[in-house]
Amino acid sequence: MSQPALETLAADAYIYGYPMVHDLSMVDTIRTRGMGPMAAAEFNTFGHARELAHADTDFVSVNNDTVYSVAQLDLSGGPLLLHVPDTGGAYHVLQFVDAWTNNFAYLGRRATGTAEQTWLIAPPGWHGTPPEGVRVVVAPTTVASVVGRNACSGVEDLPRVRELQSGLTLTPLEPGGVYAGLPQPDPGVPEELRFFERLRRWMAAFPPAAPDAEYQRRFAPLGLLDEGRSPYLAAAPEWTATLVKGIEAGKARIEAASRPPDGVATGEWTANLHLFDYNLDFFGPGTLDDPQWRIPDRRAAYLTRAVAARVGLWGNHAYEAAYAGVYHDADGVPLSGAHAYTLRFDTPPPVEAFWSVTMYDVPNYFLVANPIDRYSIGDRTPGLVRGADGSLTLVLQHERPTDPDEAANWLPTPEGAFRPMIRMYQPGPAVLDGSYRLPPIEPR
């Protein structure tokens, strides 16, 4: 294969494999070190954040509306029983994500209600019999994640959430299982090829759906299908240089695809309602197996999947929670903490649960430290001041407003570039069909 063709193939492989490598790297990080306020937790155990996410939570586009409970599953030793407590009608969701970042099941207020429930989580290909009355979720890969979110209105609501967290448990269906865990890359592989080494090991351990497996056979010239000893140990310098160029080209394509699409006015919110529709094969409880929520072109879905992992790892399908972001003000000028803005809602977003606006820096999409520890603002924020006509005007700027009403409605921005995100939980039909239009951010 010629060098240009090999470089192109390496770029394709990077885009194809980026979601898995990013996801499983995060799985390993959370399992061993935790995430922000959430302590580390071994496989098949829930780790709970005991507070809302804040500026020290280094996770892309993390939300500040809910308190996380996350479990990394290793189903190689057999099925697990999941107990879900009664939330008394309060919003919660348990999102199931496989090693390829497919959202393959949802349990919670929208999908299965808020009553107490017990489920069996089974590995791929399991043919056993669940306990009587227990429903089953089948995971596509033996390592997967359960991302739990309990709505939390603030510090005063944390005791209620913590009690719910204590009732969220995982237990083996049968004790004594032998667990394979997460294969580790060969430590001798040079840093510039570690991505491909991780992808090689993890593709073999966690096979995708049959059509994807067929597609990834084309990556054999890259060493990604090699078994046993890593092909990246003492690799030829010319081959290494070509693979590295391909990796950089793949990164550039993902970054370019992460920007707002052409033809969208720069001051408009972009609500990509189909960013997480790349799952084409695994539809468990709570998912919608409908053409409306599937990307018809499988190869196009690979790039969409990579973008989703880059800008919003472990995000939900829009029918569970819809997200919209914006980078420019109403005049088309990039948003910056050097300026002050307002965001006026004449009509609030139509949702069945709740909505919020969260502030992130650019380019990391992390929460931004600020003097009042306010990272999001929305319909549950106490003390908001509304206009006589019922409208709500939020103030987005770096410095605290001097006017008391404006200070009550203040969402602090960083000093530099920023990207706010609106989240709409259990969005109504007007959000999903695009008839509801979010207002632009106006410069002051």
Side-chain angles (χ1 to χ4, degrees):
M1 180 176 285
S2 68
Q3 183 175 332
L6 192 65
E7 181 180 325
T8 298
L9 188 65
D12 289 346
Y14 183 86
I15 292 168
Y16 174 80
Y18 173 80
M20 169 179 269
V21 173
H22 187 32
D23 173 82
L24 293 182
S25 297
M26 184 59 68
V27 166
D28 202 36
T29 295
I30 293 176
R31 186 181 64 83
T32 56
R33 300 202 302 268
M35 179 185 74
M38 187 170 61
E42 273 299 335
F43 278 119
N44 302 334
T45 304
F46 274 99
H48 302 293
R50 299 301 184 180
E51 55 190 84
L52 290 163
H54 48 67
D56 293 332
T57 308
D58 293 340
F59 193 91
V60 173
S61 301
V62 67
N63 83 57
N64 183 245
D65 304 308
T66 66
V67 178
Y68 283 84
S69 294
V70 177
Q72 310 306 337
L73 307 181
D74 181 0
L75 300 167
S76 59
L80 301 169
L81 287 169
L82 167 67
H83 176 260
V84 185
D86 187 342
T87 68
Y91 179 83
H92 77 111
V93 62
L94 293 173
Q95 170 196 4
F96 290 71
V97 189
D98 74 5
W100 292 91
T101 69
N102 294 305
N103 294 331
F104 64 90
Y106 294 95
L107 310 179
R109 186 175 185 265
R110 176 195 62 85
T112 59
T114 63
E116 182 179 11
Q117 301 170 32
T118 300
W119 291 79
L120 184 92
I121 310 173
W126 185 72
H127 298 293
T129 301
E132 185 177 355
V134 174
R135 290 171 285 180
V136 178
V137 175
V138 178
T141 53
T142 54
V143 165
S145 302
V146 180
V147 185
R149 301 171 176 90
N150 275 291
C152 183
S153 298
V155 175
E156 70 287 345
D157 195 28
L158 283 172
R160 177 191 65 83
V161 172
R162 290 169 183 163
E163 184 176 354
L164 292 173
Q165 289 176 325
S166 66
L168 191 62
T169 61
L170 288 163
T171 54
L173 178 64
E174 297 179 353
V178 178
Y179 297 91
L182 188 64
Q184 294 301 308
D186 191 312
V189 172
E191 181 62 35
E192 63 264 29
L193 294 179
R194 291 272 178 87
F195 174 89
F196 277 152
E197 173 64 3
R198 291 187 178 94
L199 182 57
R200 180 185 76 91
R201 295 296 310 275
W202 292 340
M203 280 198 326
F206 312 112
D212 290 349
E214 178 66 29
Y215 175 82
Q216 70 186 28
R217 289 193 184 99
R218 61 197 291 266
F219 300 138
L222 305 172
L224 288 172
L225 305 187
D226 288 15
E227 299 178 0
R229 187 175 187 271
S230 174
Y232 310 116
L233 293 168
E238 299 82 2
W239 191 59
T240 297
T242 300
L243 297 189
V244 170
K245 287 182 180 178
I247 289 172
E248 293 305 316
K251 287 181 181 178
R253 284 168 59 187
I254 293 172
E255 290 302 316
S258 299
R259 293 193 288 268
D262 294 336
V264 175
T266 54
E268 289 189 11
W269 294 82
T270 54
N272 190 340
L273 300 176
H274 302 286
L275 183 60
F276 297 95
D277 292 359
Y278 47 79
N279 175 18
L280 305 176
D281 305 288
F282 306 109
F283 296 94
T287 61
L288 299 183
D289 184 3
D290 186 287
Q292 179 185 357
W293 302 107
R294 288 198 300 267
I295 297 172
D297 184 335
R298 186 173 291 268
R299 293 201 178 191
Y302 297 144
L303 180 58
T304 301
R305 182 175 68 180
V307 170
R310 168 69 183 90
V311 303
L313 183 65
W314 298 347
N316 294 288
H317 281 92
Y319 51 76
E320 180 68 41
Y323 316 106
V326 66
Y327 293 87
H328 300 82
D329 65 21
D331 295 334
V333 178
L335 296 169
S336 169
H339 308 289
Y341 309 90
T342 59
L343 176 59
R344 176 188 168 93
F345 292 93
D346 292 323
T347 303
V351 295
E352 295 179 18
F354 59 95
W355 66 270
S356 70
V357 183
T358 307
M359 182 61 59
Y360 300 100
D361 68 3
V362 171
N364 296 317
Y365 308 127
F366 290 162
L367 298 177
V368 180
N370 63 83
I372 61 171
D373 289 329
R374 177 179 281 177
Y375 306 100
S376 65
I377 193 169
D379 58 358
R380 300 171 306 145
T381 303
L384 292 179
V385 178
R386 289 174 168 78
D389 58 357
S391 63
L392 175 64
T393 300
L394 305 181
V395 178
L396 282 59
Q397 61 186 54
H398 184 62
E399 299 296 334
R400 182 187 182 96
T402 55
D403 180 270
D405 289 352
E406 291 188 354
N409 294 3
W410 176 41
L411 180 60
T413 71
E415 292 184 275
F418 65 86
R419 178 195 69 161
M421 179 181 286
I422 290 181
R423 285 182 171 84
M424 295 166 279
Y425 294 84
Q426 290 188 246
V431 172
L432 297 180
D433 67 19
S435 58
Y436 176 78
R437 302 296 295 272
L438 291 164
I441 295 177
E442 300 282 354
R444 305 189 73 180

